[in-house]
Amino acid sequence: MPERTGRRTESPERTESPKRAESPKRAEREEAPRVRRGRGRRPAAEVRAATLDAAGTLLLRGGMGAFTIEAVAAEAGVSKTTIYKWWPSKGALALDGYFHAVESALTFPDTGDIEADLTAQLRAFVHVVTGTPAGQVIAELIGQAQTDPDLSAALLERYSGPRRELAVRTIRRAQSRGQVRADVDPEVLVDQLWGACYHRLLMPSLPVTEEFAVSLVANLMRGVRA
């Protein structure tokens, strides 16, 4: 009888041991699909879009003070190594994230009426920089660019340069249509319009308003209309 009792007490141990051995394997099998769908496996375009979304969101939420590569990586679910493959610095990523966040609002219209197009674009710009956190963000970026050569170069290459060229092309089309005098320098017109808005944004003694933008365009067109 004692021998049979001993066998019976051993039996549960033998039956439980395989279960214990299989448990980690089951966990591995359950984990495997999540590993295969990991962030490194996403298409590059999807990863880049997620990074820009995260950068824009963080900028508009907390400004440059809270903006770091680590924070963007965590928000987007990507690695810092992946981010650095596309953006060489925090400033370059911040500028691309900023423009990604405001690009749709700053689309330049082309209706064939240069005064209407300039007015619409400047009003949209004023709304973005005064009605959303984007104004504070671009002011911070411009301020930091004064002492950060890399950020200054990125600002010119990734934001102000392309935006300026877009406005210049619009004015040149108006010249070809006979709406703006041929002897007018489009570069100077861009400085007169957007420079005045940035001056009020960075030196806030006077507000940047849509009424100001409308008056700015109207006054300028009186002097340059063909």
Side-chain angles (χ1 to χ4, degrees), residues 58-59 61-72 90 140:
L58 288 172
L59 274 173
R61 182 190 301 160
M64 281 298 289
F67 187 86
T68 64
I69 295 293
E70 290 79 5
V72 174
K90 182 180 81 168
E140 290 177 353

Side-chain angles (χ1 to χ4, degrees), residues 87-122:
W87 293 279
S89 67
K90 182 180 81 168
L93 176 58
L95 285 167
D96 277 1
Y98 170 82
F99 187 60
H100 178 74
V102 304
E103 182 178 12
S104 61
L106 295 181
T107 302
F108 217 122
D110 183 13
T111 66
D113 182 337
I114 186 59
E115 183 168 358
D117 291 346
L118 289 175
T119 299
Q121 167 60 201
L122 223 59

Side-chain angles (χ1 to χ4, degrees), residues 14-35:
R14 291 196 187 101
T15 56
E16 288 175 5
S17 296
K19 290 181 181 177
R20 288 174 185 159
E22 287 175 4
S23 180
K25 292 180 181 179
R26 286 199 190 98
E28 288 175 6
R29 285 197 297 271
E30 291 172 358
E31 291 291 336
R34 288 197 291 272
V35 172

Side-chain angles (χ1 to χ4, degrees), residues 90-174:
K90 182 180 81 168
L93 176 58
L95 285 167
D96 277 1
Y98 170 82
F99 187 60
H100 178 74
V102 304
E103 182 178 12
S104 61
L106 295 181
T107 302
F108 217 122
D110 183 13
T111 66
D113 182 337
I114 186 59
E115 183 168 358
D117 291 346
L118 289 175
T119 299
Q121 167 60 201
L122 223 59
R123 290 180 68 181
F125 173 77
V126 167
H127 173 72
V128 166
V129 299
T130 61
T132 76
Q136 181 62 35
V137 170
I138 193 61
E140 290 177 353
L141 289 170
I142 292 172
Q144 290 190 24
Q146 308 312 302
T147 56
D148 184 340
D150 291 336
L151 179 56
S152 179
L155 181 65
L156 177 61
E157 177 187 354
R158 297 172 182 268
Y159 179 71
S160 64
R163 294 295 303 169
R164 184 184 189 90
E165 181 57 31
L166 189 59
V168 166
R169 285 201 306 267
T170 298
I171 295 169
R172 284 178 177 154
R173 281 198 301 270

